[in-house]
Amino acid sequence: MGHSYKTPLLTVSDAGLYCADGDFHVDPWQPVDRALITHAHADHARQGSAHYLATDAAGPVLRHRLGDITLEGIAYGASRAINGVTVSFLPAGHVPGSAQIRIERGGEVWVVSGDYKLAPDGLSEPFEPVACHTFITESTFGLPVFRWPDQAEVARDINAWWRDTREAGMIAMLGAYSLGKAQRVLSMLDPAIGPILTHGAVGAITDILRAQGYPLPDTIPVTPDTKAADYPGALVVAPPGALGSTWARRFGKISTATASGWMRLRGVRRRRGLDRGFVLSDHADWDALNRAVAETGASRVMVTHGYTDVFSRHLAAQGLQAEVLGTQYGGDEAEDGPPEAAA
Amino acid sequence: MKRFAEMVRGVDQTTRTTVKLDALAAYLSEAPDQDRLWTVALFTGRRPRRAVPAARLREWAAERAGLPLWLVEESYAVAGDLAETVALILPPPGAPEDRSLTDWIGFLADLAPLDELAKRKAIESAWDRLDTDERFLFNKLITGGFRIGVSQKLMTRAMARATGRDDSDLAHRLMGDWTPETTTWHRLAEADDAGDDASRPYPFYLAYPLEQPPEDLGDPADWQAEWKWDGIRGQLVVRDGQHFTWSRGGELVSPAFPEFARAPDFLPDGTVLDGEILVWSGDTAGHPDSFNALQKRIGRKTVPKTLLNSAPVVLYAYDLLEWQGQDLRSQPLADRRAQLEDLFASLPLDAPLRLAPTVRFTDWSELAERRITAREERAEGLMLKRLSSPYQVGRKKGDWWKWKLDPLTVDAVMIYAQSGSGRRANLFTDFTFAVWNGNDLVPFTKAYSGLSDAEFRQITNWVRRNTRQKFGPVRQVTPEHVFEIAFEGIHESPRHKSGLALRFPRMARWRHDKPVQEANTLDDLRAILAQYG
Ligand SMILES: [Zn+2]
Ligand SMILES: [Zn+2]
């Protein structure tokens, strides 16, 4: 491998992950000139940069969230040269439009995973392993206690809970992060059970993704005039923060649930104080993290948001050159659960 | 075990009492007798005999899961529960099998005589037959501690629904020294004659904290006031020429308090007293000793003679629950008190029993003034009891109130943080606080509770950004935040750097308004010690 460059391909600057040769940042947390964005979650896509580059599929939501930005789209798998550095975006399977970013300089390849999961969710473009020398991986759920059940099994549980709630004469309210998790849950619901309502934040993103052609069921937006009595047996999908809010009170007696990887832990389930907690994550579980790292063939792995210390130590024990990369990522599900992932 | 696991999931996954009750009552109505008997036993803190060393579970599980031990330890630190951690890391079962709860308990009991290798093989084979939820419960049978949010009250209500019996009667039946080996479901829950267990205490009646002004309680003449003692709530049962001392937690603590062994000499059979166990060394001028003295007596199986001499206990009796074999609990307090006073009139002076005095008052403001002097009486405040009240079961509002003194407080600086466990896994919840000693911050107490979840989240994020050093799980943080620490007592402690220790410390308030320089000093704490220690 002919990479005899002195500077590493990517470093962490005050603004974020920086490629000096290409003079661009990946998912910067401060405004920069050129930002490559893995996906539209708030900890990865921030306002204020001069130029953005993201997948075509991520574009509409990115514009919705960041407003009037200078955004260039790129197709999955297409290459783009930036100051002699070649970049391409490959599916990360995290949320619709999400990508890993492959960066190549003279034969040396780095991949920034962004957030990812391996198991197909029926909506997001499925994860593709990308061979590289250095892999920058997330580790939100980088502990062996985190192992996800099959999505079909979770869908059965959610629909059963919805049905039981309807029988009990209550409205079901499911907390799910408004980009990604909410639409994934929507696509898992059985619309025959009852009407599906959405909180404004969820509805806006859902409408955008539906218009892009992602297969999503019909949903009814909750407005200030919405009355619970008009929608008996309904299920409401809302951001997790809305569950205990005054907003939720209009629905009277509700059964509350959330869908998140943290629900794997009994302590967290109990702390949330909800009626149900479904184990459903848009991040890779322990087995998937390990498989993803192995499949890249990378000899060097840098670990970001999550259980960075633990996962990098584990990888080092496998003979990899592993280190913790200090970043400011940690959002979406990290907010649903313990803030451990906010490290 | 599947049905049991399903019930536990039903109880555990909701915060709604009615849903918990439905799940538990349904199970108790239909489960086989031996399974429901074990369920009641486990949920009331009775555990199967320990046949497998719990300490080895994590090693066996680590090897089984192909993980290094440190990774299991890290997982345990996050999950906060060993039984759960082990259940979660193991590979899926290879040969699922549904055996009853009682079967699995028997399976574990049979392992007792085996050597460690055989035990290990058996446990591994069990793990391979159980799904994650069942495994968690199976591991709990080994590690003990079935805390899944089933209160005594919920248990008796569910049993009441399953058996058609009255729940306070069931609460009484659940008291005492039974185990699934010594009784049957029928005897415990169904038989008209609840058996002849001489040791059986009555369910304790517990008071609610008084939050409204006492004037709201109405005519002072309807009420009896007593000091609220800072000791161990206990019941002394004398029947069949034997004595039994029970703690409020339902533990038989007779061996820890041999002073009461003489009780049958002067109390007739069929006597049950409710009161407070306190140290009475006689050198405190008519007052019991402070709780610090009692602390030496807590948690002992046997008591050395020297300790019996230096810290002898008495029962400060304030209620008579049974007299001459008659259950008096439905009589009004005024009548029970009169009988109690009669009983004490004939006791020998050296009996390890004292009649807890009542505090006389004619109006509420007079009583409020007495309350302020509680610490001088070595009390924590007052108890208010309606003279017409029966002795009820459990915590009931209306007739008994505890009117505690406001806690002592100091403003202290947070200097170390550690993450919590269980319900609070992954939040920083355990903090060490310091006060000033000159220019140094001297740690003097830890505190775990008192903040809201939102505040814990806020402080957790702050800790992450302001960690100076890590010592294992402990993080040293920038001394920047001041908290008001409330506590119930203070005493000297050579084991602590500060030379003193607090009782029931908790975070009363996050003093965002206070700069670090304005936190209290070690001298301030010593002054409180001199006054109340
Ligand atoms: Zn994300
Ligand atoms: Zn993220």
Side-chain angles (χ1 to χ4, degrees):
Chain A
M1 286 177 281
H3 43 90
S4 53
Y5 298 86
K6 286 210 180 68
T7 51
L9 194 43
L10 287 171
T11 52
V12 179
S13 79
D14 287 347
L17 278 177
Y18 180 59
C19 176
D21 284 18
D23 192 21
F24 60 81
H25 282 80
V26 177
D27 292 353
W29 46 83
Q30 275 173 25
V32 296
D33 180 45
R34 183 185 289 276
L36 277 57
I37 303 296
T38 59
H39 65 291
H41 277 151
D43 56 323
H44 296 261
R46 303 189 198 222
Q47 258 158 356
S49 290
H51 303 90
Y52 291 86
L53 179 63
T55 65
D56 293 324
V61 175
L62 215 45
R63 280 188 201 285
H64 167 75
R65 293 206 142 172
L66 300 187
D68 188 19
I69 54 170
T70 307
L71 169 66
E72 251 184 284
I74 184 169
Y76 282 113
S79 296
R80 168 79 51 97
I82 305 176
N83 301 324
V85 176
T86 309
V87 301
S88 56
F89 289 59
L90 292 311
H94 174 53
V95 297
S98 68
Q100 313 170 68
I101 299 180
R102 182 183 183 278
I103 300 165
E104 179 178 355
R105 172 185 67 181
E108 180 184 2
V109 179
W110 288 44
V111 167
V112 180
S113 75
D115 295 335
Y116 66 94
K117 70 173 177 288
L118 269 53
D121 63 16
L123 280 184
S124 310
E125 298 74 9
F127 178 90
E128 284 177 21
V130 186
C132 59
H133 302 101
T134 300
F135 185 46
I136 299 180
T137 182
E138 62 139 322
S139 61
T140 307
F141 292 106
L143 278 177
V145 287
F146 295 112
R147 195 181 289 135
W148 310 147
D150 279 349
Q151 177 164 322
E153 199 181 303
V154 181
R156 261 197 310 278
D157 288 351
I158 293 177
N159 285 312
W161 160 73
W162 183 11
R163 223 172 273 121
D164 290 349
T165 306
R166 185 192 65 186
E167 310 295 84
M170 291 190 288
I171 301 263
M173 189 173 292
L174 182 58
Y177 195 81
S178 54
L179 165 57
K181 185 70 64 63
Q183 292 74 34
R184 183 179 178 192
V185 161
L186 286 171
S187 75
M188 290 160 64
L189 293 174
D190 175 3
I193 299 173
I196 304 170
L197 276 61
T198 50
H199 180 279
V202 170
I205 306 274
T206 305
D207 290 346
I208 293 169
L209 292 175
R210 195 189 284 111
Q212 282 179 257
Y214 290 100
L216 290 163
D218 289 338
T219 51
I220 304 160
V222 174
T223 68
D225 306 323
T226 301
K227 288 188 186 58
D230 296 339
Y231 302 101
L235 181 143
V236 185
V237 180
L243 259 57
S245 70
T246 47
W247 178 85
R249 272 188 222 145
R250 76 188 68 204
F251 296 102
K253 233 178 144 205
I254 57 174
S255 178
T256 53
T258 195
S260 148
W262 299 108
M263 295 300 120
R264 175 82 167 158
L265 296 183
R266 186 167 165 262
V268 182
R269 278 200 305 272
R270 288 160 66 93
R271 180 153 57 74
R272 291 303 303 271
L274 301 172
D275 294 312
R276 293 295 295 269
F278 301 105
V279 182
L280 188 75
S281 177
D282 287 325
H283 295 266
D285 67 4
W286 172 256
D287 293 338
L289 285 171
N290 280 284
R291 205 165 87 228
V293 167
E295 285 181 355
T296 62
S299 55
R300 182 170 180 219
V301 183
M302 301 170 115
V303 182
T304 67
H305 60 341
Y307 292 100
T308 50
D309 294 351
V310 175
F311 193 50
S312 58
R313 182 175 166 195
H314 168 71
L315 294 175
Q318 322 289 303
L320 294 170
Q321 189 189 338
E323 62 204 80
V324 174
L325 190 65
T327 66
Q328 293 184 14
Y329 304 135
D332 59 284
E333 270 186 80
E335 279 169 12
D336 298 358
E340 186 64 48
Chain B
M1 195 83 142
K2 286 215 186 307
R3 182 68 188 86
F4 180 67
E6 189 192 320
M7 178 273 288
V8 171
R9 198 165 43 234
V11 168
D12 197 39
Q13 73 189 358
T14 179
T15 49
R16 251 178 251 269
T17 309
T18 53
V19 179
K20 286 178 194 278
L21 181 62
D22 288 348
L24 188 55
Y27 177 80
L28 290 178
S29 306
E30 66 187 44
D33 278 4
Q34 207 54 24
D35 278 8
R36 43 186 179 177
L37 180 62
W38 264 114
T39 300
V40 174
L42 292 170
F43 289 0
T44 52
R46 292 162 175 84
R47 50 186 296 174
R49 231 162 271 136
R50 201 179 274 253
V52 177
R56 310 309 302 274
L57 285 188
R58 70 186 79 184
E59 292 161 38
W60 299 348
E63 272 188 49
R64 186 82 183 160
L67 296 168
L69 196 57
W70 70 267
L71 204 40
V72 178
E73 301 286 358
E74 291 283 354
S75 301
Y76 175 35
V78 169
D81 183 290
L82 181 63
E84 183 188 1
T85 306
V86 166
L88 292 177
I89 62 168
L90 289 168
E97 186 189 340
D98 190 13
R99 295 171 64 173
S100 75
L101 170 65
T102 307
D103 261 16
W104 283 116
I105 290 170
F107 172 92
L108 284 172
D110 291 346
L111 301 183
L114 304 185
D115 64 21
E116 190 168 298
L117 185 66
K119 283 179 182 172
R120 177 180 178 161
K121 283 219 147 61
I123 296 296
E124 286 175 346
S125 86
W127 282 340
D128 202 40
R129 284 179 272 171
L130 299 164
D131 69 25
T132 307
D133 283 350
E134 294 174 281
R135 251 185 223 154
F136 165 61
L137 297 167
F138 176 79
N139 294 341
K140 278 279 178 206
L141 292 173
I142 301 170
T143 61
F146 263 86
R147 251 168 263 120
I148 61 150
V150 175
S151 63
Q152 178 92 6
K153 200 169 176 178
L154 186 67
M155 175 51 84
T156 50
R157 282 175 67 195
M159 283 179 80
R161 217 196 266 181
T163 60
R165 283 199 167 269
D166 175 56
D167 50 352
S168 56
D169 170 44
L170 284 162
H172 187 198
R173 286 162 176 260
L174 291 189
M175 303 294 287
D177 206 11
W178 63 274
T179 70
E181 284 98 355
T182 60
T183 189
T184 63
W185 172 260
H186 179 72
R187 270 185 67 197
L188 181 74
E190 294 172 341
D192 272 334
D193 172 14
D196 43 12
D197 176 4
S199 76
R200 178 173 302 187
Y202 293 99
F204 285 89
Y205 181 15
L206 307 173
Y208 261 94
L210 184 70
E211 269 144 18
Q212 70 271 40
E215 284 77 12
D216 290 6
L217 298 179
D219 189 349
D222 293 343
W223 292 84
Q224 169 177 309
E226 302 161 13
W227 292 116
K228 183 183 182 327
W229 302 106
D230 190 11
I232 300 171
R233 179 88 181 267
Q235 229 177 88
L236 180 60
V237 176
V238 176
R239 293 189 193 115
D240 294 353
Q242 296 172 277
H243 86 288
F244 308 90
T245 311
W246 292 92
S247 76
R248 204 194 89 181
E251 248 180 298
L252 190 57
V253 292
S254 314
F257 302 108
E259 286 90 343
F260 303 127
R262 289 167 50 225
D265 297 347
F266 41 79
L267 292 176
D269 279 347
T271 304
V272 179
L273 293 169
D274 181 17
E276 200 85 3
I277 299 170
L278 294 161
V279 168
W280 185 285
S281 62
D283 37 71
T284 43
H287 297 308
D289 293 35
S290 74
F291 189 81
N292 308 330
L294 186 60
Q295 227 150 14
K296 300 178 206 142
R297 296 290 306 267
I298 292 174
R300 286 183 179 272
K301 288 251 148 61
T302 57
V303 192
K305 260 227 166 73
T306 48
L307 198 52
L308 277 179
N309 288 329
S310 66
V313 298
V314 297
L315 181 76
Y316 245 54
Y318 38 67
D319 217 321
L320 182 62
L321 310 186
E322 181 176 312
W323 179 242
Q324 294 174 338
Q326 293 298 309
D327 180 352
L328 302 186
R329 292 178 299 157
S330 58
Q331 294 188 13
L333 170 65
D335 294 2
R336 299 198 308 274
R337 177 80 196 183
Q339 296 209 51
L340 182 70
E341 287 177 6
D342 282 354
L343 183 162
F344 268 85
S346 60
L347 283 188
L349 282 176
D350 65 339
L353 298 171
R354 297 272 182 289
L355 178 65
T358 56
V359 179
R360 254 176 270 266
F361 67 106
T362 48
D363 60 59
W364 293 115
S365 60
E366 181 192 350
L367 190 62
E369 272 170 40
R370 290 298 304 276
R371 169 172 164 267
I372 294 167
T373 67
R375 282 205 178 89
E376 292 157 31
E377 306 279 343
R378 301 280 186 189
E380 316 181 274
L382 290 167
M383 293 294 303
L384 300 176
K385 298 177 179 175
R386 198 186 291 276
L387 284 164
S388 62
S389 63
Y391 190 94
Q392 303 188 61
V393 168
R395 207 177 285 285
K396 296 262 159 60
K397 265 189 184 153
D399 287 342
W400 283 25
W401 300 96
K402 50 183 175 191
W403 191 20
K404 286 175 67 160
L405 281 181
D406 295 331
L408 301 162
T409 62
V410 288
D411 291 329
V413 183
M414 175 188 294
I415 56 168
Y416 298 115
Q418 197 174 341
S419 46
S421 61
R423 216 173 76 84
R424 293 247 156 89
N426 273 336
L427 284 178
F428 284 96
T429 58
D430 301 4
F431 304 105
T432 301
F433 294 92
V435 284
W436 291 106
N437 185 24
N439 290 324
D440 298 331
L441 281 167
V442 186
F444 71 103
T445 191
K446 285 188 170 201
Y448 315 91
S449 59
L451 298 185
S452 67
D453 275 355
E455 283 175 314
F456 276 126
R457 270 197 284 276
Q458 195 184 346
I459 197 73
T460 294
N461 284 326
W462 180 86
V463 168
R464 287 183 192 298
R465 283 177 284 109
N466 293 278
T467 298
R468 287 183 158 186
Q469 272 192 80
K470 292 186 192 177
F471 310 95
V474 178
R475 295 184 180 215
Q476 184 187 17
V477 298
T478 315
E480 192 178 306
H481 287 294
V482 176
F483 287 79
E484 182 180 307
I485 305 296
F487 53 100
E488 300 302 325
I490 184 167
H491 57 98
E492 272 182 79
S493 168
R495 286 183 298 119
H496 292 82
K497 210 174 181 175
S498 60
L500 37 84
L502 307 186
R503 201 155 119 63
F504 294 139
R506 68 252 181 207
M507 289 166 271
R509 245 178 338 145
W510 188 344
R511 298 292 307 258
H512 294 282
D513 56 316
K514 272 225 163 172
V516 174
Q517 293 72 23
E518 287 176 26
N520 281 103
T521 65
L522 192 55
D523 283 342
D524 296 338
L525 277 173
R526 290 206 186 104
I528 300 175
L529 177 68
Q531 199 179 350
Y532 300 114

